Each structure stands twice: as C-alpha cells, then as structure tokens.
Amino acid sequence: MNPERLKMSAESLPIDISFLEKKRHEVDKLLDKYLPSAEAYPDRLHKAMRYSVLAGGKRVRPILAMTAYEAFGGNDPQIINPVACALEFVHTYSLIHDDLPCMDDDDLRRGQPTLHRRFDEATAVLAGDALHVLAFQMAARSGSTRVVQELAEAIGTYGMLGGQMADVEAEGKHNTLEQIQFIHTHKTGALIKASIRMGAILAGVDEGSLRKLSHYGEKIGLAFQIIDDLLDIQGEVRKMGKPSGSDCRNQKATYPGTVGLERARKDAGQLIDEAIMISREFNAKGEYFALIARFVGQREN
Ligand code: IPE
Ligand code: IPE
Ligand code: MG
Ligand code: MG
Ligand code: MG
C-alpha cells in the first residue's frame, strides 16, 4: 500500500496492535471450539467449514463486538463469546459465496485456495449455508432476541445481501458516488456496524451511546470497504492473502473507480479521523475504538 495514503489522515501515528493480536488469538480458539468436529459425519462439510474459518483473517467483527461489550461493562464470556463467533461465521460464509465462480470467481482467500477450488462448488455453497445457520444458533445462545434481530437485519436483503446484489448488478456500469456508497455501506458496512451494536446491546448500553456507536460503525464500515478497494489496486498479494486486480478483471463498481485514487484515499482518511473523534467522546471507554479505527485505516491486508 502506498504510504502516501496514510498521510491523508491526521491520525496516522504508529499503533500498538498487541491488544488486537491478543483478541485475535482468543477468537481463533473460540471459533475452533464452536465449529463442528472435522471427524463428525458429514465430515466433508465439517472439514470445509473449518478450512475456511480457521484459515485466519483479522477477526475484526468479533473483536469489535467484544470491545463494545467490555467497554460498556459486559463481563460474561458465555454471552459474548458465541455472539462474537456468530459474526465471524457469517462473515466467512459471505466470503465463501463471494469467491464462487458465479460471483467474484477468485482462487485465493486468506492465503490459501478458495473453498470451491480446494473442495468443489457444491461443498462451498453448502459450507457457506452451514456457517450461516451456525451463526444464528450461536447468536441465539445469548438469549437476546434483539441481538438475533440485529444480526438478521444487518445481513438480510436490506443489509449485506442487498449490498451484494447491488454489487453484482453494478458490474460493468458507470456508477455514481451515491450508488457506490449504497453498495459499500450495505455489503460491508452493515455487518461491521451490527458487530459493535450487538456487543454494546448485550452489555446494556444506553440508547444515546448506542446511537454514537452506530455512527462510529458507519464510518469505519465505509472506510473498511474503500480501503479494500484500494488494496485490490495497490496491495501486496503476499500480505493480503487474496488476489489483487480482481475488481478490475470483473469490472466491479469500486470507490476509487468512481472518484479516483486520490479522493478515495482522502475520503477513507477522513472517515477514520471522524471515527476517532467519536471514540474520544467516550473518554477512556473509547480508547480501543480509536485503536481499531486507526488499525482499519492503516491495514495492509
Ligand atoms: C474482506 O473482509 C471482505 C470485505 C468485507 C471487505 P476482511 O478484510 O475482514 O477479511 P478477513 O476476515 O480479514 O479475511
Ligand atoms: C465482499 O466485498 C463483501 C462481502 C463478502 C459481503 P469484496 O468482493 O470486495 O471482498 P473481497 O475483496 O473479495 O475480500
Ligand atoms: Mg464481491
Ligand atoms: Mg470478492
Ligand atoms: Mg474487494
């Protein structure tokens, strides 16, 4: 990634990612625990689910949920852990289906062959479906119908799936900034925002703080996908673990494709700065939200 991009943001200071590393390891262990055993029948399906989920990934969504839960006083791992994993199961399902030949037709994900390449298309469709269902099973463990509802809304037709449909329909066309913003806030932003909201709701957050957190989530959610588009153009495959140039090959509607590289970098930087400002309104509680926003702004994978 071109380091120039980071200079667009006033908040480009080096960050200490040890907190994120620690959380990521915690999440990895939990995912392993909640996934079905690779030996249990139908083992091919279970192996496929484990292959995609345990391949790695930044675990941004579970970390956001856990951070929000803890910031607002939540302290019961039995409640937050399955919900955090539900978010990663949904996210991984969306990646498996997104990589299929009928969608983005990609061969590499999280540093290894995509699921349909390593197994086959039928297994990839089923493993995605299975992770989708497992996610709701996990979310239900929280006992909060509000949280289950939040998840369903975020990934349904008015959320992630609506965004993915719009993304497919926008291929090969000229797209306005408004259309791109719709795609990005839905296909990616909705789940990121919901991750923070779900964690905070489980901790019993007040409605005023929840509104602020939602704004924070919207900012980092949109920035996350703008940066994903930028990385597809100028990221290093070795670091990203997925191909670059996929958007160009598929004539995808991207943010830099619509407004140009410079403006895309500037807008992402500004969204991150705004998210950091919102984090500061939470004083000490907001420290980790600011850290995560910086991490999103500086990520190279
Ligand atoms: C990639 O998501 C797809 C998008 C929604 C932009 P991530 O960048 O979070 O991918 P992993 O989970 O770290 O592999
Ligand atoms: C994916 O967006 C969004 C979802 C999977 C919901 P992209 O298609 O840009 O993600 P990558 O670049 O393949 O990770
Ligand atoms: Mg896609
Ligand atoms: Mg894709
Ligand atoms: Mg992409």
mmCIF file of all heavy atoms in Angstrom, residues 232-282:
data_model
loop_
_atom_site.group_PDB
_atom_site.id
_atom_site.type_symbol
_atom_site.label_atom_id
_atom_site.label_comp_id
_atom_site.label_asym_id
_atom_site.label_seq_id
_atom_site.Cartn_x
_atom_site.Cartn_y
_atom_site.Cartn_z
ATOM 1 N N ASP A 232 -7.092 -3.724 -3.416
ATOM 2 C CA ASP A 232 -7.249 -4.543 -4.628
ATOM 3 C C ASP A 232 -6.445 -3.940 -5.786
ATOM 4 O O ASP A 232 -6.015 -4.648 -6.686
ATOM 5 C CB ASP A 232 -8.734 -4.656 -5.009
ATOM 6 C CG ASP A 232 -8.966 -5.734 -6.066
ATOM 7 O OD1 ASP A 232 -9.129 -6.901 -5.685
ATOM 8 O OD2 ASP A 232 -8.960 -5.398 -7.275
ATOM 9 N N ILE A 233 -6.238 -2.638 -5.725
ATOM 10 C CA ILE A 233 -5.477 -1.971 -6.790
ATOM 11 C C ILE A 233 -3.983 -1.966 -6.470
ATOM 12 O O ILE A 233 -3.151 -2.247 -7.321
ATOM 13 C CB ILE A 233 -5.970 -0.508 -6.974
ATOM 14 C CG1 ILE A 233 -7.434 -0.507 -7.406
ATOM 15 C CG2 ILE A 233 -5.099 0.248 -7.985
ATOM 16 C CD1 ILE A 233 -8.099 0.864 -7.352
ATOM 17 N N GLN A 234 -3.654 -1.665 -5.199
ATOM 18 C CA GLN A 234 -2.232 -1.462 -4.920
ATOM 19 C C GLN A 234 -1.689 -2.272 -3.758
ATOM 20 O O GLN A 234 -0.561 -2.038 -3.327
ATOM 21 C CB GLN A 234 -1.918 0.018 -4.685
ATOM 22 C CG GLN A 234 -3.133 0.864 -4.439
ATOM 23 C CD GLN A 234 -2.788 2.281 -4.090
ATOM 24 O OE1 GLN A 234 -3.261 2.780 -3.085
ATOM 25 N NE2 GLN A 234 -1.963 2.931 -4.898
ATOM 26 N N GLY A 235 -2.451 -3.228 -3.260
ATOM 27 C CA GLY A 235 -1.957 -4.027 -2.136
ATOM 28 C C GLY A 235 -1.028 -5.133 -2.619
ATOM 29 O O GLY A 235 -0.953 -5.426 -3.809
ATOM 30 N N GLU A 236 -0.324 -5.744 -1.649
ATOM 31 C CA GLU A 236 0.564 -6.865 -1.992
ATOM 32 C C GLU A 236 -0.156 -8.180 -1.726
ATOM 33 O O GLU A 236 -0.610 -8.426 -0.607
ATOM 34 C CB GLU A 236 1.818 -6.819 -1.120
ATOM 35 C CG GLU A 236 2.754 -5.682 -1.452
ATOM 36 C CD GLU A 236 3.905 -5.632 -0.451
ATOM 37 O OE1 GLU A 236 4.490 -6.693 -0.149
ATOM 38 O OE2 GLU A 236 4.170 -4.531 0.048
ATOM 39 N N VAL A 237 -0.228 -9.022 -2.749
ATOM 40 C CA VAL A 237 -0.935 -10.301 -2.638
ATOM 41 C C VAL A 237 -0.400 -11.103 -1.452
ATOM 42 O O VAL A 237 -1.155 -11.701 -0.685
ATOM 43 C CB VAL A 237 -0.786 -11.109 -3.953
ATOM 44 C CG1 VAL A 237 -1.415 -12.490 -3.811
ATOM 45 C CG2 VAL A 237 -1.410 -10.345 -5.113
ATOM 46 N N ARG A 238 0.920 -11.070 -1.270
ATOM 47 C CA ARG A 238 1.569 -11.819 -0.190
ATOM 48 C C ARG A 238 1.004 -11.403 1.178
ATOM 49 O O ARG A 238 0.763 -12.240 2.043
ATOM 50 C CB ARG A 238 3.074 -11.533 -0.251
ATOM 51 C CG ARG A 238 3.960 -12.344 0.653
ATOM 52 C CD ARG A 238 5.431 -11.976 0.409
ATOM 53 N NE ARG A 238 5.663 -10.529 0.427
ATOM 54 C CZ ARG A 238 5.816 -9.799 1.548
ATOM 55 N NH1 ARG A 238 5.766 -10.370 2.728
ATOM 56 N NH2 ARG A 238 6.030 -8.491 1.481
ATOM 57 N N LYS A 239 0.791 -10.116 1.357
ATOM 58 C CA LYS A 239 0.263 -9.645 2.639
ATOM 59 C C LYS A 239 -1.242 -9.864 2.743
ATOM 60 O O LYS A 239 -1.775 -10.171 3.795
ATOM 61 C CB LYS A 239 0.531 -8.141 2.802
ATOM 62 C CG LYS A 239 1.972 -7.832 3.140
ATOM 63 C CD LYS A 239 2.142 -6.355 3.455
ATOM 64 C CE LYS A 239 3.599 -6.048 3.725
ATOM 65 N NZ LYS A 239 3.934 -4.651 3.523
ATOM 66 N N MET A 240 -1.933 -9.673 1.620
ATOM 67 C CA MET A 240 -3.400 -9.726 1.666
ATOM 68 C C MET A 240 -3.938 -11.149 1.735
ATOM 69 O O MET A 240 -5.022 -11.384 2.246
ATOM 70 C CB MET A 240 -3.993 -9.045 0.430
ATOM 71 C CG MET A 240 -3.721 -7.550 0.353
ATOM 72 S SD MET A 240 -4.767 -6.793 -0.889
ATOM 73 C CE MET A 240 -4.166 -7.559 -2.382
ATOM 74 N N GLY A 241 -3.202 -12.094 1.146
ATOM 75 C CA GLY A 241 -3.679 -13.475 1.109
ATOM 76 C C GLY A 241 -4.849 -13.662 0.165
ATOM 77 O O GLY A 241 -5.563 -14.664 0.199
ATOM 78 N N LYS A 242 -5.112 -12.660 -0.676
ATOM 79 C CA LYS A 242 -6.148 -12.777 -1.712
ATOM 80 C C LYS A 242 -5.644 -12.020 -2.936
ATOM 81 O O LYS A 242 -4.722 -11.205 -2.818
ATOM 82 C CB LYS A 242 -7.500 -12.259 -1.205
ATOM 83 C CG LYS A 242 -7.549 -10.779 -0.857
ATOM 84 C CD LYS A 242 -8.944 -10.391 -0.351
ATOM 85 C CE LYS A 242 -9.040 -8.897 -0.088
ATOM 86 N NZ LYS A 242 -10.347 -8.489 0.445
ATOM 87 N N PRO A 243 -6.224 -12.264 -4.101
ATOM 88 C CA PRO A 243 -5.642 -11.682 -5.310
ATOM 89 C C PRO A 243 -5.820 -10.172 -5.379
ATOM 90 O O PRO A 243 -6.768 -9.630 -4.808
ATOM 91 C CB PRO A 243 -6.439 -12.332 -6.447
ATOM 92 C CG PRO A 243 -7.407 -13.258 -5.835
ATOM 93 C CD PRO A 243 -7.434 -13.049 -4.370
ATOM 94 N N SER A 244 -4.921 -9.505 -6.061
ATOM 95 C CA SER A 244 -5.173 -8.101 -6.395
ATOM 96 C C SER A 244 -5.637 -8.079 -7.856
ATOM 97 O O SER A 244 -5.461 -9.045 -8.593
ATOM 98 C CB SER A 244 -3.911 -7.261 -6.198
ATOM 99 O OG SER A 244 -2.899 -7.717 -7.045
ATOM 100 N N GLY A 245 -6.276 -7.008 -8.238
ATOM 101 C CA GLY A 245 -6.740 -6.870 -9.618
ATOM 102 C C GLY A 245 -8.040 -7.610 -9.910
ATOM 103 O O GLY A 245 -8.509 -7.633 -11.049
ATOM 104 N N SER A 246 -8.634 -8.200 -8.876
ATOM 105 C CA SER A 246 -9.879 -8.946 -9.080
ATOM 106 C C SER A 246 -11.016 -7.998 -9.490
ATOM 107 O O SER A 246 -11.824 -8.310 -10.371
ATOM 108 C CB SER A 246 -10.235 -9.687 -7.791
ATOM 109 O OG SER A 246 -11.527 -10.186 -7.833
ATOM 110 N N ASP A 247 -11.070 -6.825 -8.875
ATOM 111 C CA ASP A 247 -12.146 -5.863 -9.179
ATOM 112 C C ASP A 247 -12.061 -5.391 -10.625
ATOM 113 O O ASP A 247 -13.073 -5.275 -11.316
ATOM 114 C CB ASP A 247 -12.063 -4.648 -8.244
ATOM 115 C CG ASP A 247 -12.375 -5.020 -6.800
ATOM 116 O OD1 ASP A 247 -13.050 -6.042 -6.584
ATOM 117 O OD2 ASP A 247 -11.947 -4.281 -5.897
ATOM 118 N N CYS A 248 -10.843 -5.129 -11.074
ATOM 119 C CA CYS A 248 -10.642 -4.646 -12.442
ATOM 120 C C CYS A 248 -11.065 -5.734 -13.429
ATOM 121 O O CYS A 248 -11.802 -5.481 -14.389
ATOM 122 C CB CYS A 248 -9.171 -4.262 -12.593
ATOM 123 S SG CYS A 248 -8.766 -3.710 -14.234
ATOM 124 N N ARG A 249 -10.627 -6.974 -13.161
ATOM 125 C CA ARG A 249 -10.964 -8.104 -14.043
ATOM 126 C C ARG A 249 -12.481 -8.272 -14.149
ATOM 127 O O ARG A 249 -13.018 -8.566 -15.214
ATOM 128 C CB ARG A 249 -10.311 -9.386 -13.487
ATOM 129 C CG ARG A 249 -10.681 -10.661 -14.209
ATOM 130 C CD ARG A 249 -9.880 -11.864 -13.701
ATOM 131 N NE ARG A 249 -9.888 -12.033 -12.257
ATOM 132 C CZ ARG A 249 -10.866 -12.649 -11.578
ATOM 133 N NH1 ARG A 249 -11.916 -13.136 -12.212
ATOM 134 N NH2 ARG A 249 -10.787 -12.759 -10.273
ATOM 135 N N ASN A 250 -13.174 -8.085 -13.028
ATOM 136 C CA ASN A 250 -14.627 -8.274 -13.012
ATOM 137 C C ASN A 250 -15.403 -7.001 -13.319
ATOM 138 O O ASN A 250 -16.624 -6.986 -13.201
ATOM 139 C CB ASN A 250 -15.064 -8.792 -11.634
ATOM 140 C CG ASN A 250 -14.654 -10.230 -11.395
ATOM 141 O OD1 ASN A 250 -14.722 -11.052 -12.299
ATOM 142 N ND2 ASN A 250 -14.226 -10.541 -10.192
ATOM 143 N N GLN A 251 -14.681 -5.932 -13.668
ATOM 144 C CA GLN A 251 -15.323 -4.629 -13.916
ATOM 145 C C GLN A 251 -16.264 -4.251 -12.775
ATOM 146 O O GLN A 251 -17.425 -3.882 -12.971
ATOM 147 C CB GLN A 251 -16.097 -4.667 -15.230
ATOM 148 C CG GLN A 251 -15.204 -4.892 -16.435
ATOM 149 C CD GLN A 251 -16.017 -4.775 -17.714
ATOM 150 O OE1 GLN A 251 -16.683 -5.738 -18.119
ATOM 151 N NE2 GLN A 251 -16.001 -3.608 -18.324
ATOM 152 N N LYS A 252 -15.722 -4.401 -11.559
ATOM 153 C CA LYS A 252 -16.512 -4.122 -10.358
ATOM 154 C C LYS A 252 -16.718 -2.626 -10.158
ATOM 155 O O LYS A 252 -15.883 -1.809 -10.557
ATOM 156 C CB LYS A 252 -15.759 -4.649 -9.131
ATOM 157 C CG LYS A 252 -15.914 -6.138 -8.934
ATOM 158 C CD LYS A 252 -17.302 -6.436 -8.470
ATOM 159 C CE LYS A 252 -17.491 -7.904 -8.137
ATOM 160 N NZ LYS A 252 -18.915 -8.209 -7.925
ATOM 161 N N ALA A 253 -17.809 -2.314 -9.503
ATOM 162 C CA ALA A 253 -18.054 -0.931 -9.090
ATOM 163 C C ALA A 253 -17.234 -0.690 -7.830
ATOM 164 O O ALA A 253 -17.482 -1.318 -6.796
ATOM 165 C CB ALA A 253 -19.532 -0.755 -8.781
ATOM 166 N N THR A 254 -16.232 0.168 -7.925
ATOM 167 C CA THR A 254 -15.403 0.440 -6.740
ATOM 168 C C THR A 254 -15.390 1.937 -6.451
ATOM 169 O O THR A 254 -15.639 2.753 -7.331
ATOM 170 C CB THR A 254 -13.941 -0.026 -6.934
ATOM 171 O OG1 THR A 254 -13.333 0.789 -7.938
ATOM 172 C CG2 THR A 254 -13.860 -1.492 -7.309
ATOM 173 N N TYR A 255 -15.025 2.252 -5.230
ATOM 174 C CA TYR A 255 -14.983 3.664 -4.815
ATOM 175 C C TYR A 255 -13.910 4.425 -5.596
ATOM 176 O O TYR A 255 -14.210 5.461 -6.199
ATOM 177 C CB TYR A 255 -14.747 3.713 -3.300
ATOM 178 C CG TYR A 255 -15.170 5.007 -2.653
ATOM 179 C CD1 TYR A 255 -16.411 5.142 -2.056
ATOM 180 C CD2 TYR A 255 -14.304 6.091 -2.628
ATOM 181 C CE1 TYR A 255 -16.789 6.336 -1.437
ATOM 182 C CE2 TYR A 255 -14.673 7.284 -2.019
ATOM 183 C CZ TYR A 255 -15.917 7.400 -1.429
ATOM 184 O OH TYR A 255 -16.276 8.578 -0.825
ATOM 185 N N PRO A 256 -12.660 3.909 -5.670
ATOM 186 C CA PRO A 256 -11.663 4.629 -6.490
ATOM 187 C C PRO A 256 -12.044 4.652 -7.968
ATOM 188 O O PRO A 256 -11.701 5.618 -8.678
ATOM 189 C CB PRO A 256 -10.354 3.859 -6.271
ATOM 190 C CG PRO A 256 -10.688 2.645 -5.487
ATOM 191 C CD PRO A 256 -12.048 2.803 -4.905
ATOM 192 N N GLY A 257 -12.757 3.638 -8.425
ATOM 193 C CA GLY A 257 -13.201 3.614 -9.823
ATOM 194 C C GLY A 257 -14.139 4.768 -10.131
ATOM 195 O O GLY A 257 -14.181 5.284 -11.246
ATOM 196 N N THR A 258 -14.888 5.193 -9.135
ATOM 197 C CA THR A 258 -15.853 6.279 -9.337
ATOM 198 C C THR A 258 -15.252 7.657 -9.068
ATOM 199 O O THR A 258 -15.502 8.589 -9.823
ATOM 200 C CB THR A 258 -17.104 6.054 -8.442
ATOM 201 O OG1 THR A 258 -17.770 4.894 -8.911
ATOM 202 C CG2 THR A 258 -18.066 7.221 -8.507
ATOM 203 N N VAL A 259 -14.456 7.776 -8.000
ATOM 204 C CA VAL A 259 -13.978 9.129 -7.641
ATOM 205 C C VAL A 259 -12.474 9.315 -7.852
ATOM 206 O O VAL A 259 -11.956 10.411 -7.661
ATOM 207 C CB VAL A 259 -14.320 9.488 -6.167
ATOM 208 C CG1 VAL A 259 -15.808 9.406 -5.914
ATOM 209 C CG2 VAL A 259 -13.561 8.597 -5.190
ATOM 210 N N GLY A 260 -11.768 8.243 -8.230
ATOM 211 C CA GLY A 260 -10.317 8.337 -8.412
ATOM 212 C C GLY A 260 -9.576 7.957 -7.142
ATOM 213 O O GLY A 260 -10.151 7.974 -6.041
ATOM 214 N N LEU A 261 -8.296 7.601 -7.306
ATOM 215 C CA LEU A 261 -7.494 7.109 -6.181
ATOM 216 C C LEU A 261 -7.306 8.153 -5.083
ATOM 217 O O LEU A 261 -7.478 7.860 -3.899
ATOM 218 C CB LEU A 261 -6.099 6.699 -6.679
ATOM 219 C CG LEU A 261 -5.958 5.306 -7.300
ATOM 220 C CD1 LEU A 261 -4.559 5.144 -7.877
ATOM 221 C CD2 LEU A 261 -6.242 4.243 -6.258
ATOM 222 N N GLU A 262 -6.958 9.367 -5.511
ATOM 223 C CA GLU A 262 -6.658 10.405 -4.519
ATOM 224 C C GLU A 262 -7.842 10.691 -3.617
ATOM 225 O O GLU A 262 -7.734 10.736 -2.401
ATOM 226 C CB GLU A 262 -6.224 11.706 -5.222
ATOM 227 C CG GLU A 262 -4.788 11.692 -5.705
ATOM 228 C CD GLU A 262 -3.823 11.232 -4.621
ATOM 229 O OE1 GLU A 262 -3.788 11.868 -3.552
ATOM 230 O OE2 GLU A 262 -3.130 10.215 -4.823
ATOM 231 N N ARG A 263 -8.982 10.887 -4.263
ATOM 232 C CA ARG A 263 -10.194 11.206 -3.496
ATOM 233 C C ARG A 263 -10.596 10.021 -2.615
ATOM 234 O O ARG A 263 -11.046 10.203 -1.479
ATOM 235 C CB ARG A 263 -11.307 11.579 -4.492
ATOM 236 C CG ARG A 263 -12.703 11.634 -3.940
ATOM 237 C CD ARG A 263 -13.038 12.961 -3.277
ATOM 238 N NE ARG A 263 -14.299 12.857 -2.549
ATOM 239 C CZ ARG A 263 -15.505 13.021 -3.073
ATOM 240 N NH1 ARG A 263 -15.625 13.350 -4.361
ATOM 241 N NH2 ARG A 263 -16.597 12.895 -2.349
ATOM 242 N N ALA A 264 -10.413 8.803 -3.125
ATOM 243 C CA ALA A 264 -10.759 7.615 -2.325
ATOM 244 C C ALA A 264 -9.895 7.564 -1.073
ATOM 245 O O ALA A 264 -10.388 7.313 0.035
ATOM 246 C CB ALA A 264 -10.589 6.342 -3.150
ATOM 247 N N ARG A 265 -8.596 7.827 -1.230
ATOM 248 C CA ARG A 265 -7.698 7.825 -0.068
ATOM 249 C C ARG A 265 -8.096 8.907 0.917
ATOM 250 O O ARG A 265 -8.111 8.697 2.129
ATOM 251 C CB ARG A 265 -6.264 8.107 -0.516
ATOM 252 C CG ARG A 265 -5.629 6.966 -1.244
ATOM 253 C CD ARG A 265 -4.170 7.315 -1.518
ATOM 254 N NE ARG A 265 -3.620 6.422 -2.495
ATOM 255 C CZ ARG A 265 -3.070 6.791 -3.647
ATOM 256 N NH1 ARG A 265 -2.989 8.081 -3.955
ATOM 257 N NH2 ARG A 265 -2.602 5.906 -4.482
ATOM 258 N N LYS A 266 -8.404 10.062 0.375
ATOM 259 C CA LYS A 266 -8.754 11.190 1.230
ATOM 260 C C LYS A 266 -10.041 10.899 2.006
ATOM 261 O O LYS A 266 -10.120 11.125 3.208
ATOM 262 C CB LYS A 266 -8.926 12.439 0.354
ATOM 263 C CG LYS A 266 -9.132 13.713 1.113
ATOM 264 C CD LYS A 266 -8.998 14.908 0.172
ATOM 265 C CE LYS A 266 -9.889 16.040 0.584
ATOM 266 N NZ LYS A 266 -11.307 15.874 0.243
ATOM 267 N N ASP A 267 -11.039 10.368 1.317
ATOM 268 C CA ASP A 267 -12.321 10.087 1.986
ATOM 269 C C ASP A 267 -12.151 9.022 3.072
ATOM 270 O O ASP A 267 -12.725 9.136 4.158
ATOM 271 C CB ASP A 267 -13.377 9.638 0.965
ATOM 272 C CG ASP A 267 -13.859 10.800 0.096
ATOM 273 O OD1 ASP A 267 -13.333 11.923 0.263
ATOM 274 O OD2 ASP A 267 -14.740 10.585 -0.757
ATOM 275 N N ALA A 268 -11.345 7.982 2.769
ATOM 276 C CA ALA A 268 -11.119 6.932 3.773
ATOM 277 C C ALA A 268 -10.438 7.547 4.996
ATOM 278 O O ALA A 268 -10.847 7.302 6.139
ATOM 279 C CB ALA A 268 -10.282 5.798 3.200
ATOM 280 N N GLY A 269 -9.425 8.373 4.758
ATOM 281 C CA GLY A 269 -8.701 9.025 5.859
ATOM 282 C C GLY A 269 -9.631 9.881 6.697
ATOM 283 O O GLY A 269 -9.577 9.866 7.937
ATOM 284 N N GLN A 270 -10.516 10.594 6.013
ATOM 285 C CA GLN A 270 -11.440 11.467 6.734
ATOM 286 C C GLN A 270 -12.439 10.667 7.582
ATOM 287 O O GLN A 270 -12.730 11.019 8.721
ATOM 288 C CB GLN A 270 -12.184 12.344 5.733
ATOM 289 C CG GLN A 270 -12.884 13.504 6.391
ATOM 290 C CD GLN A 270 -13.506 14.417 5.349
ATOM 291 O OE1 GLN A 270 -12.939 14.622 4.266
ATOM 292 N NE2 GLN A 270 -14.665 14.943 5.649
ATOM 293 N N LEU A 271 -12.929 9.580 7.017
ATOM 294 C CA LEU A 271 -13.866 8.731 7.770
ATOM 295 C C LEU A 271 -13.192 8.167 9.020
ATOM 296 O O LEU A 271 -13.796 8.108 10.101
ATOM 297 C CB LEU A 271 -14.371 7.583 6.879
ATOM 298 C CG LEU A 271 -15.369 7.990 5.791
ATOM 299 C CD1 LEU A 271 -15.441 6.916 4.697
ATOM 300 C CD2 LEU A 271 -16.758 8.220 6.383
ATOM 301 N N ILE A 272 -11.933 7.777 8.885
ATOM 302 C CA ILE A 272 -11.199 7.243 10.043
ATOM 303 C C ILE A 272 -11.020 8.349 11.092
ATOM 304 O O ILE A 272 -11.239 8.123 12.290
ATOM 305 C CB ILE A 272 -9.821 6.670 9.612
ATOM 306 C CG1 ILE A 272 -9.997 5.469 8.678
ATOM 307 C CG2 ILE A 272 -8.960 6.297 10.830
ATOM 308 C CD1 ILE A 272 -10.714 4.279 9.267
ATOM 309 N N ASP A 273 -10.652 9.525 10.641
ATOM 310 C CA ASP A 273 -10.499 10.649 11.585
ATOM 311 C C ASP A 273 -11.813 10.922 12.320
ATOM 312 O O ASP A 273 -11.826 11.157 13.531
ATOM 313 C CB ASP A 273 -10.076 11.919 10.837
ATOM 314 C CG ASP A 273 -8.611 11.856 10.424
ATOM 315 O OD1 ASP A 273 -7.897 10.971 10.919
ATOM 316 O OD2 ASP A 273 -8.187 12.683 9.595
ATOM 317 N N GLU A 274 -12.914 10.878 11.577
ATOM 318 C CA GLU A 274 -14.219 11.136 12.203
ATOM 319 C C GLU A 274 -14.561 10.047 13.225
ATOM 320 O O GLU A 274 -15.103 10.323 14.296
ATOM 321 C CB GLU A 274 -15.317 11.236 11.137
ATOM 322 C CG GLU A 274 -15.224 12.533 10.340
ATOM 323 C CD GLU A 274 -16.065 12.531 9.057
ATOM 324 O OE1 GLU A 274 -16.800 11.541 8.810
ATOM 325 O OE2 GLU A 274 -15.970 13.504 8.293
ATOM 326 N N ALA A 275 -14.217 8.805 12.866
ATOM 327 C CA ALA A 275 -14.482 7.691 13.802
ATOM 328 C C ALA A 275 -13.656 7.884 15.079
ATOM 329 O O ALA A 275 -14.140 7.613 16.188
ATOM 330 C CB ALA A 275 -14.150 6.354 13.147
ATOM 331 N N ILE A 276 -12.434 8.352 14.935
ATOM 332 C CA ILE A 276 -11.580 8.578 16.110
ATOM 333 C C ILE A 276 -12.167 9.696 16.982
ATOM 334 O O ILE A 276 -12.190 9.589 18.211
ATOM 335 C CB ILE A 276 -10.124 8.875 15.690
ATOM 336 C CG1 ILE A 276 -9.510 7.623 15.058
ATOM 337 C CG2 ILE A 276 -9.285 9.350 16.877
ATOM 338 C CD1 ILE A 276 -8.208 7.839 14.339
ATOM 339 N N MET A 277 -12.686 10.725 16.331
ATOM 340 C CA MET A 277 -13.319 11.825 17.089
ATOM 341 C C MET A 277 -14.492 11.288 17.907
ATOM 342 O O MET A 277 -14.675 11.661 19.067
ATOM 343 C CB MET A 277 -13.861 12.893 16.131
ATOM 344 C CG MET A 277 -12.818 13.493 15.229
ATOM 345 S SD MET A 277 -12.138 14.949 15.943
ATOM 346 C CE MET A 277 -13.327 16.108 15.282
ATOM 347 N N ILE A 278 -15.288 10.428 17.286
ATOM 348 C CA ILE A 278 -16.438 9.867 18.015
ATOM 349 C C ILE A 278 -15.930 9.029 19.201
ATOM 350 O O ILE A 278 -16.461 9.116 20.309
ATOM 351 C CB ILE A 278 -17.346 9.026 17.096
ATOM 352 C CG1 ILE A 278 -17.893 9.883 15.953
ATOM 353 C CG2 ILE A 278 -18.487 8.381 17.893
ATOM 354 C CD1 ILE A 278 -18.639 9.113 14.865
ATOM 355 N N SER A 279 -14.870 8.236 18.950
ATOM 356 C CA SER A 279 -14.309 7.406 20.040
ATOM 357 C C SER A 279 -13.937 8.264 21.230
ATOM 358 O O SER A 279 -14.125 7.866 22.387
ATOM 359 C CB SER A 279 -13.040 6.680 19.579
ATOM 360 O OG SER A 279 -13.260 6.001 18.383
ATOM 361 N N ARG A 280 -13.383 9.443 20.949
ATOM 362 C CA ARG A 280 -12.919 10.316 22.043
ATOM 363 C C ARG A 280 -14.070 10.798 22.915
ATOM 364 O O ARG A 280 -13.875 11.109 24.095
ATOM 365 C CB ARG A 280 -12.172 11.516 21.471
ATOM 366 C CG ARG A 280 -10.863 11.081 20.856
ATOM 367 C CD ARG A 280 -9.872 12.232 20.802
ATOM 368 N NE ARG A 280 -8.629 11.739 20.263
ATOM 369 C CZ ARG A 280 -8.055 12.186 19.145
ATOM 370 N NH1 ARG A 280 -8.611 13.172 18.461
ATOM 371 N NH2 ARG A 280 -6.926 11.670 18.725
ATOM 372 N N GLU A 281 -15.268 10.855 22.333
ATOM 373 C CA GLU A 281 -16.421 11.287 23.135
ATOM 374 C C GLU A 281 -16.719 10.294 24.256
ATOM 375 O O GLU A 281 -17.416 10.611 25.210
ATOM 376 C CB GLU A 281 -17.662 11.456 22.251
ATOM 377 C CG GLU A 281 -17.535 12.640 21.303
ATOM 378 C CD GLU A 281 -18.756 12.749 20.389
ATOM 379 O OE1 GLU A 281 -19.878 12.428 20.835
ATOM 380 O OE2 GLU A 281 -18.558 13.139 19.216
ATOM 381 N N PHE A 282 -16.202 9.076 24.096
ATOM 382 C CA PHE A 282 -16.422 8.066 25.142
ATOM 383 C C PHE A 282 -15.312 8.069 26.192
ATOM 384 O O PHE A 282 -15.265 7.176 27.040
ATOM 385 C CB PHE A 282 -16.528 6.671 24.512
ATOM 386 C CG PHE A 282 -17.773 6.468 23.696
ATOM 387 C CD1 PHE A 282 -17.715 6.333 22.315
ATOM 388 C CD2 PHE A 282 -19.016 6.409 24.304
ATOM 389 C CE1 PHE A 282 -18.859 6.144 21.564
ATOM 390 C CE2 PHE A 282 -20.174 6.213 23.570
ATOM 391 C CZ PHE A 282 -20.097 6.082 22.195
#
